[in-house]
Amino acid sequence: MNPPKNDVPPGSEALIVQHMALVGHIVRETMSRVPSHVDRDDLTSAGLTALVQAANAYDPERGVPFNRYAATRIRGAIVDDLRSIDWASRSVRRRSRELDMTRANLATVLGRTATTAEVAQAAGITLEEVIANDEDVSRAQVLSLSASEDDMIGERLVSNAPDPQAMLEHRERLTYLTEAIAELPDRLRLVVEQYFLAERPMGEIAETLGVTESRVSQLRAEAMVLLRDALNMALDPELVEPAARPNGCAARRRQAYFTAVADRHAAGLRGQMTGQMTGQMMSAPSTSYNASA
């Protein structure tokens, strides 16, 4: 791809030709860290335009080497171009959070990563909706908006490795999920434990409960909704949809379940604190009374 030709002073053209390889290097560096749907030609065009602008604005009397000055301008232009790519709407991000929660729930009960079809079934949406949401988020999560202009391009781009905060949040979700399963009504808890943990067929579970397989499927779906809402109530209350009849029996049972999960979690935290205090007391150096002192 040739650099833009408009308004290029003769003295600047040599700088542009000499440093076109710099654009290619920065584009290759960027392409290794962004999703595959990002178009290389678009980034190259943005980089070449920035190179031309840098050549036109360059002032050698400032003592800054041109390659360093141009690299900063090129990286900035590429970052700006990436930021303009289909940022996800608020609804897409909200659905993404819900699907992430569903995936975490299923991973715990299944002991493995859930398939996209299982996520769709548990979330109560179609397989196509899950795939479309994942694609929207992938397009959106290209850059970290908190980067400064002086950062290297590798530091501006989102890393796939979980950060400590994300790992802490994941552990907290798993803790709440375990507690939420324990507080489920007996029949719902049995279905969850037997279907997801013991991996028993629905037919066997139906025989154990004395109901039809269709009823087991309904109980499983009801349990998944309760688990999802319990985790959302604890970690992201804005995602919990209000009950259709706030004063009805179903709403009161639902609220009692949320309260039981919260109480169990609080009791667990108190137990951890007590254990830590006991451990500290036992590990503290002992002092003996010296009668002759």
Side-chain angles (χ1 to χ4, degrees):
M1 182 178 295
N2 296 322
K5 292 296 185 180
N6 49 320
D7 300 328
V8 180
S12 302
E13 188 169 352
L15 288 175
I16 296 170
V17 173
Q18 291 173 8
H19 292 86
M20 285 180 63
L22 179 62
V23 174
H25 170 72
I26 295 175
V27 168
R28 284 193 300 273
E29 182 184 61
T30 306
M31 290 298 296
S32 69
R33 294 177 170 86
V34 298
S36 59
H37 68 265
V38 175
D39 189 84
R40 178 185 294 270
D41 289 343
D42 288 344
L43 299 188
T44 302
S45 177
L48 289 173
T49 299
L51 176 62
V52 171
Q53 294 171 347
N56 292 344
Y58 179 60
D59 183 0
E61 293 184 359
R62 295 188 176 183
V64 179
F66 178 74
N67 61 341
R68 180 178 176 183
Y69 172 72
T72 300
R73 296 286 296 265
I74 293 167
R75 289 191 176 102
I78 289 176
V79 168
D80 288 342
D81 189 74
L82 287 170
R83 284 175 175 162
S84 68
I85 299 175
D86 295 333
W87 289 100
S89 65
R90 185 174 182 180
S91 61
V92 168
R93 292 191 182 280
R94 175 171 178 171
R95 173 60 61 79
S96 176
R97 290 196 299 270
E98 293 174 348
L99 292 177
D100 286 344
M101 186 77 70
T102 301
R103 288 187 175 97
N105 296 349
L106 289 174
T108 300
V109 295
L110 292 175
R112 59 173 174 80
T113 302
T115 66
T116 305
E118 289 171 334
V119 172
Q121 181 181 12
I125 60 178
T126 65
L127 178 62
E128 290 74 17
E129 287 177 305
V130 174
I131 294 174
N133 184 266
D134 290 344
E135 291 176 348
D136 288 341
V137 172
S138 177
R139 282 192 292 270
Q141 292 179 342
V142 175
L143 295 177
S144 170
L145 294 177
S146 61
S148 67
E149 292 185 358
D150 294 330
D151 290 336
M152 294 298 291
I153 190 70
E155 296 174 354
R156 299 185 191 203
L157 302 177
V158 170
S159 169
N160 291 327
D163 56 37
Q165 180 66 26
M167 294 177 65
L168 181 62
E169 291 177 355
H170 180 65
R171 286 197 295 267
E172 188 176 14
R173 288 192 186 98
L174 293 181
T175 299
Y176 268 111
L177 178 59
T178 302
E179 294 161 346
I181 292 175
E183 290 296 336
L184 282 172
D186 292 342
R187 288 166 69 88
L188 299 185
R189 187 178 68 252
L190 186 146
V191 169
V192 169
E193 292 175 345
Q194 293 298 309
Y195 183 81
F196 291 109
L197 301 181
E199 297 186 353
R200 292 182 61 194
M202 279 195 181
E204 293 183 7
I205 301 174
E207 291 180 5
T208 299
L209 294 177
V211 298
T212 64
E213 289 189 36
S214 176
R215 179 55 182 158
V216 172
S217 179
Q218 293 174 353
L219 292 172
R220 183 188 62 181
E222 183 181 346
M224 294 303 294
V225 170
L226 276 177
L227 291 174
R228 181 198 65 196
D229 288 347
L231 266 66
N232 285 340
M233 178 63 72
L235 303 173
D236 204 349
E238 67 175 12
L239 297 180
V240 180
E241 297 182 1
R245 297 177 57 188
N247 297 322
C249 293
R252 290 197 297 271
R253 288 196 300 268
R254 182 167 172 259
Q255 187 57 50
Y257 170 66
F258 294 158
T259 301
V261 174
D263 290 345
R264 177 179 283 266
H265 186 72
L269 292 178
R270 288 194 297 270
Q272 291 178 8
M273 293 178 63
T274 301
Q276 291 173 357
M277 293 176 63
T278 302
Q280 291 173 358
M281 293 174 63
M282 294 181 65
S283 62
S286 61
T287 59
S288 59
Y289 174 70
N290 189 346
S292 61

